[in-house]
Amino acid sequence: MITISINGKEIRLEKPMTVLEAARSAGIKIPTLCWHEQLEKYGGCRLCLVEVEKMPRLQTACTLMVADGMVIRTETGRIADVRRGILEFLLINHPLDCPYCDKAGECDLQDLVEKYGPVTGRFKEKKRKVPESLEDPVIVRNMERCIVCTRCVRMCEGVQGASAIAVIDRGGHSHIEPFSGGRFDCEYCGNCVSVCPVGAIMSKLHRHSYRPWQLVDEVETICPYCGVGCTLVVQVRDDVIKRVVPKLGTVVNNGLLCSRGRFGYEFVGSKERLTKPLIRIASKTHDASRVTHNEIFREATWEEAISFVAKKLEEIKDKYGSDSIAGIASPRCTNEDNYIFQKFMRTAIGTNNIDSTARTGFAGAQNFIENIFGQGATANIIPGLSNSDSVLVIGGDPTAINPILGLQIRACSRKGGNILTIGKVKGLRFFNPVSLKPVLYTETVLLEGIVTALRERIGLPGSNPNLEAGIKDINISDGEIEKTCGIKGNDFTMFMKILSESSTPSIVIGKELVQSNSGNYKLLLIAAINYLINGRIYLLSERANEQGLLDMGCAPDLLPGYRPLTFAEFRRKYENSWKTSIPDKVGFSIFEMMDAAKEGSLKALYVMGENPVFNLPDARSVEAAMKNIDFLVVQDIFLTETARLADVVFPALSWSEKDGTFTNMERRIQRLRKAVHREGMEDWRIISEVSKHMGVPLNYSNPEDIFNEVSKVSPLHRDMTYEDIEKGEAVYPYKGEPLRGVSEEIKFQVPSSKFQVSDKKLYLKLERPLFHSGTLSTKAPALVNIYPEAMARISPDTAKSLSLGDGDIVRVSTKIGSLELPVSVDKELDNSSVLLSNNFEGKGAFSLMEYTLDSVTKAPCIDYNEARIEKVNI
Amino acid sequence: MKTGKEFIKTIFFVELIKGMAFTLKTLLFTPPVTRRYPNKVKVPAQPGFRGLHALAKNEEGKMKCVGCGLCGAYCPSKCIYIYTSEGEDHTKVVDRYEIETPRCIYCGFCVEACPFGAITLSEHYEYSTYSRDSLYMTKDKLLENWDKYFAGEKGKRYFRDFWRPKTTDFKGYEGQAMFKGNKNEK
């Protein structure tokens, strides 16, 4: 116990800390500029100077550790004099343009000068003049205002790990500049913006259009982009989102954000948003992309559109049966929306044909791993990653797919943990990763080798006989790995040493692994590795509510709360609470729906907030299938590729316009709150209206009603209320039943034949960029400014052999199609790959990719897509 | 029990007659205190009277206001609405500056708060109308008011005599910092 006295107040401390932290814990405020609770101590601004008895000079509170018996005074005449002096120095070059500066009102310097500052400056010389740097698309730098506290630099280097900015020049000329010059060209997390105490680094979005005190409507909500579920504070003025800021102390992201979360909110107010229900007037044979939507659709009233949809669905149901109708739910919609959607499909329509794009990887992989380790095996607390002593990353770049999770991996490295990667992980390349880079498409052999080596080093623990039965015959020697994968024996030994010696390892699995050939076998090998090293699994999730969607039963074989449909007992429970019968036949998965549509047996499809024509591989055949459907209803916020083919389009309310809950990848249920008012109906309300017209009333007045029903019927959410969620402790199973255990046998398929990969061929791979997520982010101008168009990324060697340079237009063609795109040379890429994102309308990688379905996970395998590149001369 | 004298006074209405006599005297022999506004008498407002708002213009005839929003922040009845945006040359542009005058309490805090002397209260007070809309002052109307009520010397005099902004003549507590005029000076 350390006892100190601050300003005459006695404080007892359990553990050593700095004087500043001690004072803050006692509620005594010491002014600071360079200190920030997320950053390393710096002691540069000298504003936190305090008087300590028996120390001759003033001490900086932020770096001085407390000692027993210390007597500290934080506000004396001497200290005030010193602070006034420091502020006078800071104001020598500060332009004092507060009336123009957007920071005024929440500026630390302004507040401090107002409290301690000098009345006038004595410095007669001219102020430093630096023109504002407006070159960057989203960040404005005004170096006149900079006080060189280096918070941004420490944030960029020490927390974000991007190391994009630094202090340039010396003395009075020092200022902050990105290494790339005027443009930032960094990860655009914008965390430098949120730590800047003055108006030196600011966001360009909605610049000069608000003052901080005018943002009276402040709403805490959840990010709509990825599965991490960061808490955002949305600040609104007159129903326009002016900015999105993070909040310190939140569980998941604790004051950090990524580019999508911070700058990707402008789609909400986009002019392209749908406003009225649309009914098709043109025939479906039209090439929908060529004509404007006025020629395809006419605007209708809500009443008309809803009764039309209800009538048509009834007709089809009567004529062809319930199973000729299917529904696609959305990982961007709330739990409540999805619950109502599956309830509508199961009760009003009477079919289990419900699925979503979670089927393209997340659902299958999660199910596979849970069958081995039990339910909840993939739901681990994200900040826990930084406490692991080693993290194995495979199948994607977590710093791009789930950036805030990626930061935890970087933090792990900083704390002394080891980063192990299989394949190149661009975002972790500066964090001393021990990388094994197998030759293209030989990961299976490498994983088998790792399992073999681990089995030799650690031995089989014997607690999971099912899994052990699956891996006991695997035997790949180091020599074989070297031969097949091209990995040197030394590298492999080092990798294995770290992996086998770590006591708290984590494994991060990306979708690339799931979406590859024999993905189920690779998952089995990963599960075996996890089993042998006793680690934790993190399954990356690309959409905000992929987890919640599955919880709510938007799957052909699952009822809400992950209850398998095939068990009559579970079905009966739901039948009793819904007071209706539930069909016992397992429905179509999303790919089976497309097959049925092609055959013509699927007559109607209800799509809620999803864009299958773009987001499913082999997009062109999906489009053909959609055209073959008699009656297509789409509910979306934009007129997407799928909506263009629809018979009826309902405009929905988007994120920040509705209340609800999201479930993130660690199964934390969090509240989404309404920040902006807009005319229209939420997804669940539209569906319940349609249902009402079909004679099956779904009577709910608000999302809380729906959630209360979920907490009654779903065993995972038992007794959970919105109040519990608001406390932030709603990580389920909440008070519910024990989760589903492991299954008796593990189904997997050992790949029979090894594909031959030729060195000379190029393979098309999917790029999962940091700045985009689905097509939603392409409606946010700031993100489009950062990453403006679809680009074919190739390695320097490939570029050289084809004599291509950045920006040259090439034709990328595969067996099923071709696209003309500009090229971008990427140093980090290997010579056999072409990377293409699937975000930009008409230029999606999925339109060029063929797939086969994995026999166990039912995920599409999109590897082995050979591609050719040729220069297009304009 | 009333005495005999009081009884007689009550019967003959003596007190009533006394009162009526006073009323008659005041009615006939005292001049009226009220003034006949607006038909016969019009009293000009004293200099410095806080009347209708105006947005000041500088010597070039351009609006002084930069849209810092301090007037709106200080306004006790929150009747000042300011909307700014980023202009073509990336400077701050005031798109809308609106005052809902029926809600204004003419306290003059906005004038005090303004660091540029951009919002002023004129001596004009006769602007009652039959429609509420015409009392809603937009930026154009406010700038027009400047030309109407502060043209020429009057505007200069107003700033000389009545404008005491914190930026040039602020006597705060000791140690208070302040904004010293335009950043481009010196």
Side-chain angles (χ1 to χ4, degrees), chain B residues 108-159:
Chain B
F109 277 7
C110 50
V111 181
E112 252 180 78
C114 183
F116 293 94
I119 179 75
T120 55
L121 291 173
S122 70
E123 289 153 21
H124 178 64
Y125 59 89
E126 296 173 298
Y127 54 98
S128 48
T129 70
Y130 290 104
S131 83
R132 294 171 72 88
D133 286 352
S134 57
L135 290 173
Y136 193 84
M137 291 291 150
T138 58
K139 188 175 122 187
D140 294 336
K141 279 195 207 168
L142 287 166
L143 285 170
E144 225 172 82
N145 288 350
W146 175 260
D147 295 336
K148 268 194 211 158
Y149 307 115
F150 285 112
E153 273 303 304
K154 217 172 173 190
K156 279 183 196 159
R157 204 191 69 210
Y158 177 79
F159 283 119

Side-chain angles (χ1 to χ4, degrees), chain A residues 92 136 146 200 208 218 242 379 416 503 555 628 648 748 802 837 841 859:
Chain A
I92 283 176
D136 194 78
C146 180
H208 287 332
E218 200 178 78
K242 289 293 181 189
S503 54
N628 212 12
V648 179
F748 65 93
L802 293 162
S837 68
E841 205 174 316

Side-chain angles (χ1 to χ4, degrees), chain A residues 39 149-157 165 176 192 195 201:
Chain A
L39 306 176
C149 66
T150 71
R151 271 198 203 177
C152 50
V153 177
R154 280 174 290 145
M155 171 56 87
C156 195
E157 224 164 70
I165 51 176
I176 312 295
C192 48
V195 291
I201 299 187

Side-chain angles (χ1 to χ4, degrees), chain A residues 389-390 418 420 434 436 450 453-454 457-458 489-503 533:
Chain A
D389 61 355
S390 68
N418 293 300
L420 304 164
V434 179
L436 295 184
I450 294 173
L454 276 178
R457 277 165 190 256
I458 298 171
N490 282 345
D491 293 349
F492 185 70
T493 319
M494 189 172 149
F495 184 92
M496 286 317 300
K497 187 169 180 295
I498 294 170
L499 190 64
S500 59
E501 283 172 7
S502 56
S503 54
I533 60 174

